[in-house]
Each structure stands twice: as structure tokens, then as C-alpha cells.
């Protein structure tokens, strides 16, 4: 049986939470491998709705879950999320949740810096969640980070704090802020250490042991390929690699262990925050998509921008993201439209393009080329087999497959986990 990695094929918010939950019931372990608590996954289980930001979705099912080394961890956000889930009856103990002891920590001054930069950026705002994700990743690659394992050695933290404060105090002074209070920081870390350390493990050992035992591992990505730091719409991207390759480096299992890569894409396109969006509809149709799809960010609550399906971008995501098959979500949102459109290419200064250009100036000027298809009046909501879908909806799905050069593996027809059409079993490959 194959392992499965789930990644977003658009700008995040594609409905990964439901798909991961659907797969997690059949997995032996679920792993988060990048991002932080800037991610947002919504799970609907029966009459309960769970909103996760940092914790792997497998916890809701009681599936052993791992936060890998590629994640940046806010220990206070972790504690709050565990408490919130506990109120809903989901218990996260060290028996079911393990955290890589090499995870970098998000600290209070990371959140401060994130907000200070964004407020000072004017028209250049990236649209971050202001949760300190980017600054924490900067400290990781700058070799200044305090990691989970350091919580057990706080008395030896002096040299690391010297490097850290030398960098951050200069930045803070530039914004008119006081230097980091080292004594307060150490006191805060001592207070949270007792909560975090029982979860800390060399999780790469657990994952490789699980793989050797033939267990099914589900890798849960956050955000989407179009937000990847290397392959996304730079600079309006996240601070980590969101492609399937990051599942290996962000967990310690090695690239041959990742297995089937399932890309999640909505049957239309949405984006939260700033950045290019060729098929955005600033029209009543776009408004209608947002209302029907309940398009508000899980973490930020911000209204999502909406537009038609962009086959060029998803084809690009499938190529650079290593996607084996697509899970197409929210097809039911398109029910009742007289016609539906798909972007099949772009024009830029009179030239036809079959890819999205890298430079922001070119990205802003591309014009989508649309193919319009007849819509369907029948409902797809709750469909669980091809026979339940209208003929035009099936034609739409098949045309998307042709254009993105990647097969549709699953079709999701509502937020309910069982309202899913399985075309190909990712775990069987």
C-alpha cells in the first residue's frame, strides 16, 4: 500500500481538511510537514465542525499524528488549539501526537516583526496572517532559531540568544521598538516547556519505522502550490515549500517514502489576500460563487476573491508539485449556472502563453483565454457516484482532466466527509 501526500493545487483553501479527514480514517499516521498556524483546515464530522490551524487533521479521528521538522511551531498557539479541541471532545496526548524535536519555535517577537513589517509596507503589503511564520523561517535558515529541543536546555541558550537578539534588536530599533527582554523570554519559555516537551520526539525514527512495517502514512500539506516560496506567485507567497517534495524534507522520511501525491483543487478558483489572480471575477457571478461557497478564510476570516477555474495554473501546479491525481472539490457550488468557463491560456502583449509568467509585471498584464461550457441545472450536492452527477458536470470534470493533464482521483460534492466520489484509491497505488 502506498503512502499519500495531500497538497493544495491552487492558492490554499481548496478543501484539504475534508479530504485529509476522509483519508485519515484509513491511515495509520498523519503528518504535517510545513507551514505553521497560518494554515486553516475545516473538518465537518457529523454535526460537529472542527477548525484546525496547527494540529494534523488525523487527531480528530484519533489517528496517531506528527508535526514534522518542516513546521514552525508557536508553542502557545499549540496549547490553545489543544485546549480548544479538548472542549470538543478531541484529546491530544503524547500517545497520539508527536512533535519533531527539531521544529523551530515561533516566538513573540516574530509576531511583532511580522506585524511591524506589514504595517510599514504600504502598497507593498504581502497579506500575511501576522502570526510570525515568515520571521521564524528566516531565523531557521539564518541559523538563529530556538528549536523544540532547546526547551530542555534553556540554561545553555546564551550563545543562541546572542545571535538572535543581535539580529532582532537591530530590526526592532529601526521600527522604534525596544530590544527583546531576554529575561522575560526565558521565563516564558520555561513556563511553556513543561507543556511542549512531553510531545517532543525524533519523529523521523517513528516515520521510518512505520514505513518499514508497511503502515499507511498520510502527509498533510498546508496552503497550496501557488503559494510555494519557489514556485508560487512571488512575492505574494508563504514562507515554506508547499510542493510534495517538502513532505520528505519536512518530516525526515526521504523522497521515496512520499508515495501518491493527491492535489486538491476547487472546481473554481479562490484566493485570500493580495497577489495576481487572472480569472478573478469582480462581478455578480464572482459574488455568487463566494456566497454559495461560503468563501471566508478559516484562519483570517477574510473574504476570498473568486473566479473561474484556471486550468493553466493547476496544470503548472501538477507539474512542479509532483501531483499524481486531483481531488476536485466544491463542484456543487457550480450547480445552477447557465454556463461555466475554464481558463485555457493567457495572452500577454499580443502573445499567447500556456504558462503563468514569473515576473509580477507580466502577471498583472496577462488576460485569460476562456472556454465556455453549458452548465447544469440539476444538483450535484451529496453525490457519491458518477451516476449521481448530471451529464454536463461530468463533461466539465473530464475537460478539466484534459486541460490540466492529470486525472481526477476524487470528487467532493459537499463538506460532509462521505459525500465523495472515489475514482481511484490513492492508498492502493
Amino acid at each position: 500500500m502506498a503512502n499519500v501526500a495531500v497538497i493544495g493545487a491552487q492558492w490554499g483553501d481548496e478543501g484539504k481538511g475534508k479530504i485529509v479527514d476522509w483519508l485519515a480514517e484509513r491511515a495509520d499516521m498523519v503528518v504535517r510537514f510545513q507551514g505553521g498556524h497560518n494554515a486553516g483546515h475545516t473538518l465537518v464530522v457529523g454535526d460537529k465542525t472542527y477548525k484546525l490551524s496547527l494540529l494534523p487533521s488525523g487527531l480528530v479521528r484519533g489517528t496517531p499524528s506528527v508535526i514534522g521538522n518542516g513546521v514552525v511551531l508557536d508553542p502557545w498557539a499549540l496549547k490553545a488549539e489543544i485546549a480548544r479541541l479538548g472542549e470538543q471532545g478531541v484529546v491530544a496526548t503524547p500517545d497520539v501526537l508527536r512533535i519533531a524535536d527539531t521544529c523551530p519555535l515561533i516566538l513573540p517577537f516574530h509576531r511583532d516583526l511580522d506585524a511591524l513589517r506589514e504595517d510599514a509596507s504600504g502598497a507593498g503589503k504581502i497579506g500575511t496572517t501576522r502570526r510570525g511564520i515568515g520571521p521564524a523561517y528566516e531565523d531557521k535558515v539564518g541559523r538563529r532559531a530556538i528549536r523544540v529541543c532547546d526547551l530542555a536546555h534553556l540554561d545553555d541558550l546564551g550563545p543562541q540568544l546572542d545571535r538572535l537578539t543581535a539580529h532582532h534588536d537591530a530590526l526592532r530599533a529601526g521600527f522604534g521598538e525596544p530590544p527583546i527582554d531576554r529575561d522575560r523570554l526565558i521565563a516564558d519559555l520555561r513556563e511553556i516547556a513543561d507543556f511542549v516537551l512531553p510531545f517532543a520526539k525524533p519523529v523521523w525514527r517513528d516515520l521510518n519505522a512505520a514505513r518499514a512495517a508497511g503502515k499507511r502514512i498520510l502527509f498533510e500539506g498546508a496552503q497550496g502550490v501557488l503559494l510555494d516560496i519557489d514556485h508560487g506567485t512571488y512575492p505574494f507567497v508563504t514562507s515554506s515549500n508547499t510542493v510534495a517534495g517538502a513532505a520528505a524534507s519536512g518530516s525526515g522520511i526521504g523522497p521515496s517514502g512520499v508515495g501518491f501525491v493527491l492535489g486538491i483543487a476547487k472546481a473554481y478558483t479562490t484566493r485570500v489576500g493580495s497577489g495576481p489572480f487572472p480569472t478573478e471575477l469582480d462581478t455578480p457571478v464572482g459574488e455568487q460563487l463566494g456566497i454559495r461557497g461560503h468563501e471566508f478564510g478559516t484562519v483570517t476570516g477574510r473574504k476570498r476573491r473568486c473566479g473561474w477555474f484556471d486550468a493553466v495554473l493547476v496544470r503548472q501546479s501538477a507539474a512542479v508539485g509532483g501531483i499524481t491525481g486531483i481531488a476536485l472539490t466544491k463542484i456543487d457550488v457550480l450547480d445552477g449556472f447557465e454556463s461555466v468557463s475554464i481558463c485555457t491560456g493567457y495572452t500577454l502583449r499580443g502573445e499567447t502563453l500556456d504558462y503563468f509568467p514569473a515576473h509580477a509585471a507580466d502577471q498583472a498584464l496577462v488576460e485569460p483565454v476562456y472556454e465556455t461550457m453549458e452548465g447544469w441545472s440539476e444538483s450535484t450536492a451529496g453525490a457519491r457516484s458518477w451516476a449521481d452527477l448530471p451529464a454536463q458536470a461530468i463533461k466539465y470534470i473530464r475537460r478539466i482532466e484534459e486541460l490540466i493533464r492529470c486525472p481526477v482521483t476524487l470528487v467532493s460534492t459537499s463538506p460532509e466527509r462521505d459525500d465523495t466520489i472515489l475514482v481511484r484509491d490513492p492508498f492502493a497505488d
Side-chain angles (χ1 to χ4, degrees), residues 251-270:
S251 64
I253 200 169
S256 61
V258 173
F260 190 102
V261 180
L262 184 64
I264 317 299
K266 282 177 182 168
Y268 51 102
T269 310
T270 63

Side-chain angles (χ1 to χ4, degrees), residues 94-230:
D95 293 329
V96 293
L97 176 64
R98 302 165 197 172
I99 300 172
D101 50 9
T102 51
C103 271
L105 296 179
I106 299 174
L107 301 171
F109 53 82
H110 291 133
R111 296 193 297 270
D112 294 344
L113 182 58
D114 206 353
L116 288 166
R117 283 175 171 168
E118 192 75 348
D119 289 340
S121 294
K125 280 184 171 63
I126 299 297
T128 78
T129 57
R130 299 170 177 256
R131 298 193 171 199
I133 309 296
Y137 273 118
E138 290 175 39
D139 281 347
K140 174 184 177 178
V141 299
R143 295 165 291 182
R144 296 180 295 269
I146 295 174
R147 303 185 298 172
V148 168
C149 57
D150 292 319
L151 293 174
H153 300 274
L154 291 176
D155 290 336
D156 303 320
L157 209 56
Q160 285 168 270
L161 278 180
D162 290 342
R163 290 194 298 273
L164 199 59
T165 55
H167 176 77
H168 280 273
D169 285 350
L171 292 174
R172 292 172 67 87
F175 286 108
E177 295 293 315
I180 292 170
D181 185 335
R182 291 173 58 139
D183 292 338
R184 173 66 184 272
L185 176 62
I186 291 294
D188 289 343
L189 290 173
R190 287 193 192 283
E191 185 178 350
I192 200 68
D194 289 341
F195 179 82
V196 176
L197 285 173
F199 297 100
K201 305 289 181 185
V203 301
W204 62 270
R205 295 177 72 250
D206 299 325
L207 291 170
N208 281 277
R211 182 188 178 196
K215 294 186 177 181
R216 293 170 165 174
I217 303 172
L218 179 62
F219 298 93
E220 177 183 8
Q223 291 93 31
V225 173
L226 300 177
L227 292 172
D228 185 276
I229 188 67
D230 288 307

Side-chain angles (χ1 to χ4, degrees), residues 10 266-270 289 293 295 307-309 330 333-334 396:
Q10 295 162 316
K266 282 177 182 168
Y268 51 102
T269 310
T270 63
L289 286 171
E295 296 297 354
W308 292 123
F309 187 88
K330 290 196 167 185
V333 173
L334 299 181
Y396 180 74

Side-chain angles (χ1 to χ4, degrees), residues 26 38 40 88 156 162 166 293:
R26 302 169 57 218
N38 56 337
Q88 293 185 276
D156 303 320
D162 290 342

